[in-house]
Amino acid sequence: MLAGAVALYAGQAGLAASIWVAGTAVVLAILVVDIVVSLRRGEFGLDLIAALAMAGALLFGEHLAGIIVALMFTGGEALEGFAQRRARREMTALLSRMPRTAARYAQGGLQEVALAELVPGDRVLVRRGEVVPVDGTVGAGVAVLDESALTGEALPVRRRVGEPVMSGVTNAGDAFDLRAESAAADSTYAGIIRLVEAAQEAKAPMARLADRFALLFLALTLAIAGGAWAWSGEAVRALAVIVVATPCPLILAVPVAIISGISRCAKRGVIVKGGGALERLAGVRTVLLDKTGTVTDGRARLIDMRVRDDLDPTEFLRLAASLDQGSPHVVARALVAAARERGLALDTPTDVREVAGSGVAGRVGEREVLVGGWDFVSAQAASSPFSREIGAWIRREGTVAVVVAVDGTIAGALLLADQVRPEAGTVLRHLRDAGVRRIVLVTGDRADLAAGVAAFLGVDDVRSEMKPQDKTMAVEAERANGPVLMVGDGVNDAPALAAADIGVAMGARGAAASSEAADVVILVDRLDRLVSAMRIARRSRAIALQSVYAGMGLSLLGMVAAAFGYLTPVEGALLQEAIDVAVILNALRALAGPIRILRRREAGEEDVPALEAEHRTLGDVIDDIRATAARLPHLPGPDVRQELARLDGVLHERLLPHEERDERVYAGLRRRSGARDALAGMSRTHMEIQRQVHNLASLREALPDDGPGEEQRYEIERLLHGLEAITRLHFAQEDEIYRSLDADGE
């Protein structure tokens, strides 16, 4: 077009026309071939109108209009290519980051081997800045990992010896040893890449739907063009109508918006397998949630402990966890994790003897320790009144009890359970806000356990003791209420995930079968990412529809104007060019999130992840408050003051500074939101915790030298139980608030 313009400016009108004809003819020939190929595949699109416009321009001598249409068509293709490359940037980055080799220990040194040569059991050195090649566990050193490429978490995480590491994450710290637990082809990263490739190759149904309307739009275009020609007797008006109707780049706006939404989901740690899945996600009306590993954490966690009066709870947990380091049992790993969360330094056990499925015995330092079930420990420990108390105390539904004996006598017990995710309540509220009318909890667990979780969450229905085929039948039954979304993580959930209109797999720790069967895979172990994905899906679909309605509407107005002679073919071509570019640029808005007044990072609360982590490390402080209350009735009078002074020091050194940091975060949220009273109730809880700690100090100072009387003991015990309850509840509330901040940042 530019060459023809130069020739025209130089006075060579004939040369300009020839150049424009040649350019238009080349594009037209290529387009005709593409149309023929598409028709043979049974596909019919709006490209035919572009071909008619170019052919008509050549036929009627509108050479400039023809080259403008050709430029519009090829420019739209180029713009779509740019948009899709940008939209897929995060997903293709996964492919480009895939390592090709790994440094494996062999023959006393390191050998650089191809990734395919790694087998489970190999020891691999992961250097600073390298991508972890296979799934495994930390063999030596402390791994500082950047998991943002997979999970979307911005801050590095630490993994200690024995803790799992996903392939595909980047080593952000010093080199560490990795013990491979899978081959490269079976690793997390390889599975993610397969999911990404499937997502990139899929085509959105909205795009196919637009193609099916192409015949109607073509008929309308030809009717208006024919009517204009017949009414005016001017063929050029018919050409102008056809030129304005050329919507080839316009229809590209739909896949651009959908692919942009898929890309944004990938940023949030959610892989969506194609545009069709994203569209169905936007229209969900019923949600079925599996319980274990989906609504709950899916792992045993320490929830309570009972310790003999003469033992410190922290030392009790340290002894048990130190011995359990020698056991691969899932409960043993949970105890070790609980101790490490509390920052306890574990000893290396010696003389470890394990009875599979029952318990483990050994030495920790100078002490003989037994850890296991009641039958295992009680059979080897001396009976006492305290042991009989423990035997009754551990009998709680929905928990796993671990009994610990030290030096031949029972020292206490620990209770572990699978807890509801901190963000579960927020997720259910946001699902209802997003238009979900019905939420059902489905699980294979017993009815009493399922009912307890359902009552806590407030779901519409609960179905328990379900087999895989029962979950599939539940999906089919719920279809009467609208499109069904199923969320699960286990192999038993795979049939229901495949049967649902949209299946969502918790892929961070879930079974591979569920990820393969699902339409959406959440890579980070966070249920609130489901809400983020639904919001992104709804926004992307809305933007795609905006582009379609606006573009088609403007094109129709332009066609009418051209029919009445208000637009020449050249002017119509320029107008359509502007329309097409505008709607494609509008579709690109799906790449970015909506403008929000408050965002997690913009709110100035960079300390939020650290504060969440502190909640876990402060678990021993809450345990200490409870244990002190339990010991108080049995302590000699003079020892009470000393015990309370010790606890007071712990509270002032660890708990109160944490609450002060929380309050600074609240202040930042208030400033950014413009709501001066935001989180006022939470700040009031901070004040109550501080008041309780102050009252404890006041009670201690008022004690007589010979210790408290019966009434004073009761008052102190009551205060300690209240402080423990309010602190534990407050931490749970803050965990939910902090996670909701992250979920809001789509």
Side-chain angles (χ1 to χ4, degrees), residues 2 10 110 189 271 278 281 299 342 395 437-438 487 519 525 541 544 604-605 629 645 654-655 711 732:
L2 289 176
L110 287 170
Y189 201 56
I271 291 294
L278 193 76
L281 189 60
R299 291 177 289 191
R342 289 159 171 77
R395 304 187 188 283
R437 295 192 291 260
R438 183 170 166 81
V487 189
D519 304 289
D525 195 22
R541 185 175 183 274
E605 68 278 22
R654 298 183 60 191
L655 180 61
E711 288 295 328

Side-chain angles (χ1 to χ4, degrees), residues 226-297:
W229 191 352
W231 177 68
S232 66
E234 299 177 10
V236 71
R237 290 197 185 186
L239 176 61
V241 170
I242 294 174
V243 169
V244 174
T246 308
C248 302
L250 164 64
I251 211 61
L252 300 177
V254 178
V256 166
I258 297 300
I259 293 170
S260 297
I262 293 173
S263 172
R264 292 206 58 238
C265 286
K267 280 185 177 180
R268 299 291 294 159
V270 180
I271 291 294
V272 180
K273 300 181 184 178
L278 193 76
E279 287 191 62
R280 294 194 299 275
L281 189 60
V284 167
R285 290 294 176 267
T286 301
V287 174
L288 271 62
L289 296 168
D290 175 54
K291 184 179 81 69
T292 305
T294 302
V295 171
T296 66
D297 188 59

Side-chain angles (χ1 to χ4, degrees), residues 67 89 170 222 290 413 419 428 475 525 527 530 537:
I67 197 66
R89 180 173 53 200
T170 302
L222 294 178
D290 175 54
Q419 294 182 297
L428 266 63
V475 169
D525 195 22
L527 184 60
L530 172 63

Side-chain angles (χ1 to χ4, degrees), residues 120-124 134-140 176-182:
D122 281 348
R123 194 159 62 98
V124 178
V134 295
D135 294 342
T137 57
V138 179
F176 67 93
D177 287 354
L178 177 79
R179 185 164 298 280
E181 291 192 344
S182 68

Side-chain angles (χ1 to χ4, degrees), residues 340-356:
R340 285 176 172 157
E341 284 179 354
R342 289 159 171 77
L344 303 184
L346 304 184
D347 291 340
T348 301
T350 57
D351 193 24
V352 178
R353 307 173 303 280
E354 181 171 10
V355 177

